Amino acid sequence: KLQAATTEKRLGELQRAVREALARHDTDAATDASAALVDLAEASYGSERNPILAAATNDAALCAKASGAFELAAEKFARSAQLYEACGMKNHPSAATALHNLGVCYKDNAAVPGGSKLARTALLDRAYEALAEANARRGASPDHDAARDRAAAATT
């Protein structure tokens, strides 16, 4: 029990470190903390059917996106959603959040100057699909609160 409590405490510390570093726009520190978080979650709970790893992977994706590594971020957001699904959490708000983040990532990547019109259109199509799926899953969630979720959806 002591080892589990120590692990849980360390996971919480790493999650806070990621969020605090991102809030300071310190993407290097956030990325380092998220890598340690993913490693600890995977070592402690396995690489499949692990909602802790799903959340850690979403955090790592947020770090990649904040660093401008949109393709890597998209891969990690998609992996986070897949991990939630593997846990039987397809319609959980966290799975919807991972898909929402994926859609916003595609949208932000499409806004980067220099890409072709075709590439931007493809990214925007992917963004639409991911955001539509996120909204559908939010609506199917027993924890869905339309009034609370409306503000988040309006920011995309």
Side-chain angles (χ1 to χ4, degrees):
K1 283 187 171 184
L2 183 58
Q3 184 178 7
T6 302
T7 298
E8 291 294 323
K9 180 180 179 190
R10 183 67 183 137
L11 287 167
E13 291 167 353
L14 289 168
Q15 287 173 327
R16 279 188 298 283
V18 170
R19 284 172 177 71
E20 289 169 2
L22 286 174
R24 293 189 315 271
H25 303 287
D26 185 349
T27 56
D28 290 337
T31 299
D32 290 346
S34 73
L37 178 60
V38 167
D39 289 346
L40 180 58
E42 191 166 18
S44 300
Y45 302 108
S47 61
E48 300 297 324
R49 298 182 53 94
N50 179 348
I52 306 299
L53 180 59
T57 302
N58 190 72
D59 285 350
L62 290 169
C63 295
K65 183 176 174 277
S67 298
F70 293 106
E71 290 178 20
L72 177 61
E75 290 173 17
K76 290 181 183 295
F77 285 131
R79 177 69 177 140
S80 177
Q82 291 167 351
L83 284 165
Y84 282 120
E85 290 170 11
C87 297
M89 299 172 66
K90 179 179 179 178
N91 292 325
H92 190 274
S94 295
T97 297
L99 288 168
H100 176 91
N101 290 343
L102 176 61
V104 173
C105 180
Y106 285 140
K107 182 179 77 98
D108 290 351
N109 193 6
V112 173
S116 72
K117 184 176 180 179
L118 182 61
R120 281 192 309 276
T121 300
L123 287 167
L124 290 173
D125 286 344
R126 288 183 187 153
Y128 176 81
E129 291 170 6
L131 292 168
E133 182 65 20
N135 285 332
R137 290 191 188 187
R138 271 201 180 89
S141 170
D143 298 325
H144 177 65
D145 179 340
R148 178 196 66 218
D149 294 341
R150 190 173 302 117
T155 64
T156 58

